[in-house]
Amino acid sequence: FSPITIPVVLAACMAVVFAPVVTWLADHGLNRSLSAVAVLLGLVGIVVLVVWVTSAALVDQSEALSENLGNAVDDIKGWLADSPISERLADQASETTTDSGPALASGLAGGAVSVINSITGIITGTVLALIVLYYMLKDGPTREAKRAASPTDKQALLQRISDDAVKDLRGYFRGQTGIALMNGVVVGVAAAVLGVPAAVAIGVVNFFGAYVPYLGAFFGGAFAVLMALGEGGLGLALVMLAVAIGVNMVLENLLQPVLLGDSLNVAPLPILLATTLGGMLAGMVGLVLAAPLLAIAMDARRELKQSGFFDEPG
């Protein structure tokens, strides 16, 4: 079910976050369908812009990056040559290459099929998510329309749980946006100060990467290191790596649980544990949604407890 459920879940979360934008556009005279299309095109445009900026920066640095990458490999070989364990490392590398050669050759066809299937799944899931997101944005009822004139106790309880879920989801992305902004600005400014090219692109990639806990920081940092390697060689790349690791360690491990805890009204430790567990169970989607889902579950439990749902009858 994952090819269907994951796009639908992501589309539902995006619809909750961006529904106020559609409502604002509709309130200012734009047809709700056109408002949904405008928001959808805006989101797609942002993704295309990030991909284009990243690709352009890599292409501009491709020749220098290739040359400096070779120099970095030579430097590392030189360090290993002076190491007392260099012979053992060389022997182990030779044995590993010899043993894995046949297995690698036999697995190329299967790997190619797996890559094609993955790309097909990504394209299909993206199209499905965009379609679902459009209809959720266009047909999503307003808050006033969802409320009954004289709700029963059960309807009022469900409405409070729904309101809390919307608040938690929007609060999460609001807090994550603050973290992403700090991440992108700090890494981008550091790159500019160090003389790394495409500092703006580095900041943009790290900004959007911060929305995916841990995994996004890895890709954002890797992009910054590649740009530094292409410009100044191994030394500048190591300095940029230290900056990226330092910034992400502070934001991911210290500031993120605190800021998201304030947004979600959840203690930092449960957020950290939930995010880690979510990534282990559901990959990137689990990393992104674990914290708000934890807050939604805790708020729902509180509402149910206050309503007497867990009380024994009689």
Side-chain angles (χ1 to χ4, degrees), residues 172 175 179 255-268 271 291:
Y172 168 77
I179 295 172
L255 295 183
Q256 186 184 54
V258 174
L259 292 178
L260 293 185
D262 290 341
S263 298
L264 302 177
N265 195 26
V266 180
I271 289 180

Side-chain angles (χ1 to χ4, degrees), residues 85-95:
I85 60 173
S86 58
E87 292 186 8
R88 188 174 64 182
L89 286 175
D91 292 338
Q92 289 179 350
S94 178
E95 292 175 2

Side-chain angles (χ1 to χ4, degrees), residues 57 66 69 74 88-89 106 115 150 184 217 283:
S66 177
L69 186 60
D74 292 337
R88 188 174 64 182
L89 286 175
S106 63
V115 169
S150 300

Side-chain angles (χ1 to χ4, degrees), residues 44-282:
V44 172
I46 290 173
V47 174
V48 172
L49 177 63
V50 173
V51 173
W52 179 79
V53 167
T54 305
S55 302
L58 287 173
V59 170
D60 289 340
Q61 289 291 105
S62 59
E63 293 184 4
L65 180 60
S66 177
E67 180 181 353
N68 287 335
L69 186 60
N71 294 335
V73 172
D74 292 337
D75 291 340
I76 294 174
K77 287 181 178 179
W79 296 343
L80 292 177
D82 298 332
S83 171
I85 60 173
S86 58
E87 292 186 8
R88 188 174 64 182
L89 286 175
D91 292 338
Q92 289 179 350
S94 178
E95 292 175 2
T96 301
T97 303
T98 302
D99 295 339
S100 62
L104 180 61
S106 63
L108 286 178
V113 173
S114 177
V115 169
I116 293 174
N117 289 336
S118 298
I119 294 175
T120 303
I122 291 173
I123 295 174
T124 304
T126 301
V127 172
L128 177 61
L130 291 175
I131 294 173
V132 173
L133 177 58
Y134 167 74
Y135 281 108
M136 286 185 172
L137 290 174
K138 181 178 77 74
D139 300 329
T142 62
R143 293 173 62 87
E144 291 77 15
K146 289 190 294 183
R147 297 183 185 275
S150 300
T152 64
D153 291 342
K154 183 180 293 186
Q155 287 175 330
L157 174 62
L158 293 177
Q159 185 62 55
R160 290 196 301 272
I161 293 176
S162 175
D163 290 344
D164 288 339
V166 171
K167 180 193 68 176
D168 290 335
L169 197 57
R170 290 175 180 169
Y172 168 77
F173 280 100
R174 186 167 54 249
Q176 195 67 35
T177 299
I179 295 172
L181 184 60
M182 287 190 293
N183 195 353
V185 169
V186 173
V187 176
V189 169
V193 171
L194 292 172
V196 178
V200 174
I202 290 173
V204 170
V205 171
N206 278 271
F207 170 78
F208 286 101
Y211 282 96
V212 182
Y214 309 116
L215 190 61
F218 171 79
F219 285 106
F223 176 67
V225 171
L226 284 176
M227 290 295 99
L229 180 63
E231 175 66 18
L234 184 59
L236 184 60
L238 291 176
V239 174
M240 195 70 241
L241 176 62
V243 171
I245 291 176
V247 170
N248 284 287
M249 284 183 64
V250 172
L251 293 178
E252 295 283 358
N253 297 320
L254 297 179
L255 295 183
Q256 186 184 54
V258 174
L259 292 178
L260 293 185
D262 290 341
S263 298
L264 302 177
N265 195 26
V266 180
L269 181 58
I271 289 180
L272 181 61
L273 296 177
T275 302
T276 304
L277 181 60
M280 294 171 61
L281 295 178

Side-chain angles (χ1 to χ4, degrees), residues 1-24:
F1 293 100
S2 61
I4 296 176
T5 56
I6 290 177
V8 170
V9 169
L10 289 177
C13 293
M14 297 291 285
V16 170
V17 173
F18 290 99
V21 180
V22 175
T23 301
W24 184 86

